[in-house]
Amino acid sequence: LGVDGIDFKLGLTTPNIYEAQTSRVMMEVSGDVILVVDASKFGRRSLGVISGINEIDRIITTKKLSENELNKFNEYHVEVIMV
């Protein structure tokens, strides 16, 4: 799953509300939800909320996450892979 924004309070977002709905359905029917985001997506918010961070299983990102960010993902039991 790719998103336009990831924010720890709001969650995963996209500017298109119809895309947000489609992404939610894809998440509901999938076995594992893997989020792929580059560093620029962190801290961004858009109109269409896809889900909370607690709904993803794994994140693959180019961002070197801080200890605080890693702890937040750990709280949600999200596996983090930094490439």
Side-chain angles (χ1 to χ4, degrees):
L1 179 67
V3 299
D4 293 282
I6 181 168
D7 180 85
F8 283 106
K9 290 182 182 177
L10 191 58
L12 313 176
T13 62
T14 184
N16 185 315
I17 58 173
Y18 299 112
E19 183 180 331
Q21 291 172 336
T22 301
S23 293
R24 274 196 299 276
V25 171
M26 289 184 341
M27 290 173 73
E28 289 172 7
V29 299
S30 68
D32 264 350
V33 177
I34 302 170
L35 181 66
V36 180
V37 292
D38 64 56
S40 71
K41 307 302 186 210
F42 284 81
R44 292 179 62 185
R45 294 178 170 191
S46 290
L47 176 66
V49 176
I50 299 168
S51 76
I53 292 174
N54 61 316
E55 299 294 322
I56 60 176
D57 298 301
R58 196 168 293 111
I59 181 170
I60 300 171
T61 184
T62 60
K63 185 175 195 269
K64 183 170 175 18
L65 298 173
S66 69
E67 187 174 329
N68 185 42
E69 290 169 318
L70 285 171
N71 288 337
K72 286 182 182 180
F73 281 117
N74 284 334
E75 288 175 17
Y76 291 114
H77 305 287
V78 175
E79 179 187 356
V80 175
I81 302 167
M82 291 182 279
V83 294

